[in-house]
């Protein structure tokens, strides 16, 4: 079950890859992290599925620390 999704846009694919590696080293699963190339330039949208609100908040913090913008998290109903 994935009741929460954290999302943000990183300006550079290398920042997205670094954030992904950090998440993977901190108990997040590969299958729960999605990188989507944005329409323009090298920007990447990162979606992180989590089972709890606490983990979604951790994902938001990681996105913020790696310079993402447009960060949000929502509950899947």
């Amino acid at each position: 079950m994935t009741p929460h999704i954290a999302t943000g846009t990183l300006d550079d694919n290398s920042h997205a890859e670094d954030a992904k590696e950090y998440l993977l080293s901190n108990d997040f699963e590969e299958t729960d992290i999605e990188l989507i190339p944005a329409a323009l330039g090298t920007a990447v949208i990162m979606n992180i599925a989590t089972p709890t609100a606490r983990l979604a908040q951790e994902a938001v913090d990681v996105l913020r620390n790696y310079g993402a913008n447009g960060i949000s998290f929502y509950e899947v109903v």
Side-chain angles (χ1 to χ4, degrees):
M1 183 188 335
T2 304
H4 299 87
I5 303 287
T7 188
T9 302
L10 294 114
D11 291 335
D12 186 290
N13 187 49
S14 65
H15 291 155
E17 289 295 334
D18 290 344
K20 180 179 178 180
E21 288 303 315
Y22 180 85
L23 290 165
L24 291 174
S25 70
N26 285 284
D27 298 327
F28 287 81
E29 300 294 325
E30 176 90 31
T31 56
D32 295 333
I33 302 169
E34 179 181 29
L35 300 178
I36 304 165
L40 299 173
T42 59
V44 176
I45 300 165
M46 181 178 249
N47 295 325
I48 306 154
T50 66
T52 66
R54 184 188 65 75
L55 284 175
Q57 185 57 56
E58 284 185 38
V60 165
D61 292 343
V62 169
L63 289 167
R64 187 175 295 117
N65 290 340
Y66 281 89
N69 54 59
I71 298 169
S72 64
F73 102 69
Y74 55 93
E75 185 174 2
V76 178
V77 288

